[in-house]
Amino acid sequence: MKISIHIISALIACMTFLSGYAQSPSSLKDAAKGKFLIGTALNHNQILGHDTAGIKIIKEHFNAIVAENCMKSQPIHPQRDRYSFSLADKLVEFGEQNDIVITGHTLIWHSQLPRWFCHNEDGSLRSAEELKAIMKEHISTVVGRYKGRIKGWDVVNEAIMEDGSYRKSPFYQILGEEFIPLAFQYTHEADPEAELYYNDYNMWAEGKRNTVVKLIGELRKRGLRIDAVGMQSHMGISKPNLTEYEKSIEAFAAAGVKIMMTEFDMSAIPTERLTADLAEGGADPAKARNPYVDGLPDEAYQRWHSRMEKVWEIIMRHSDDITRVTFWGVCDGDSWLNNFPVRGRTDYALPFDRQHNAKPIVGRLIEMLNSK
Ligand code: G3I
């Protein structure tokens, strides 16, 4: 029986359509669609368009971006009468051109803060009135410039310690706890549509968790907007305790805000090894600090992979309360963890390797997203 070529090509076309239709999404952002945004932090090489391999990954896998550094107060407002917006402008343009949601990071933070912001020329702390004026001018200028173009702002970053006390930053020394509601008020005035976030690391710590819950209540009591808390989620290979991490997600959701994993990465270098080897004395401290300089052994990768899965299981369990998961960098070579806590080490903290290849974890995260 002669089957015409037309029937065969029709069958092939139909099978191709069905396989394509039935095929699960093969990028992180497509697999997460309907659950939460998936983001990454851009460094200046990506913002300037030099890192073409990184940009390719960003466009394929991510629908949210944040500046790793260029929108912090020191880079963007180096002198009181001078702003430096060029990198921030390019980041926002990149987001808009690629239909990617943009987060502003970060308005009020004790680090990467120009000295003039909180200190007089003679080194003394500014008065409360002077600091309020500076905060209001900084926030209204930076937020106002991107009004309607940035979805949300990390208004205040890292103001609370693990024991629940307030960090004794210059902001706190001058204004006490008041600097936080003031920052949220000024940001809302500058862009009433923008979402407002409180962002911090080690949010699994019970003391910090409880104070953040109180802070959310205080802001709400004053009629101030707070949409979400950012759990930075800088993970170690053995810390934090994931039960405590999940308790914090539950506590923040119960406080009535959304949750974002805003700086998710996981060092593959065991910190306990760092201390043990150093304590033994005989170990080569340099090797203890940088054990995988020639590559990550398979069993170390497997340990990292399975812990990443455990964190992702928690995120999936709470996806109704989670609106964004942002990785802190695109590939291993970009990670700040290559310079923290030891400069010049080789870590393997992100889902894409130094050759810009997706590690097996990428397929696994997509599979987990598709399964829900
Ligand atoms: O831009 C200068 C460059 O001109 C100079 O030549 C070079 C010399 O070392 O330094 C460059 O500045 C560096 C900057 O990153 C930009 O690359 C700073 O030294 C370096 O300290 C800074 O590190 C950033 C760190 O924040 C500062 O605290 C990391 O890239 C960034 O990933 C990290 O991100 C923070 C979040 O914003 C808040 N949560 C914690 C997270 C990790 O610390």
Side-chain angles (χ1 to χ4, degrees), residues 154-222:
D154 290 342
V155 177
V156 173
N157 192 42
E158 304 177 9
I160 296 164
M161 308 304 283
E162 279 83 340
D163 65 2
S165 63
Y166 278 78
R167 182 185 300 274
K168 301 304 178 282
S169 70
F171 295 107
Y172 182 87
Q173 291 174 54
I174 297 167
L175 290 169
E177 298 175 17
E178 272 311 293
F179 82 92
I180 299 181
L182 283 168
F184 276 80
Q185 175 196 327
Y186 299 155
T187 309
H188 183 64
E189 287 166 353
D191 185 351
E193 299 309 309
E195 291 185 352
L196 308 183
Y197 320 131
Y198 174 74
N199 191 52
D200 212 329
Y201 63 87
N202 291 358
M203 290 273 257
W204 46 268
E206 186 181 9
K208 183 174 290 203
R209 175 199 304 150
N210 294 341
T211 301
V212 171
V213 167
K214 276 192 214 119
L215 171 63
I216 294 161
E218 183 55 27
L219 293 172
R220 289 270 163 89
K221 196 168 78 179
R222 297 185 186 208

Side-chain angles (χ1 to χ4, degrees), residues 67 107 200 322 325:
L107 295 169
D200 212 329
I322 293 169
V325 177

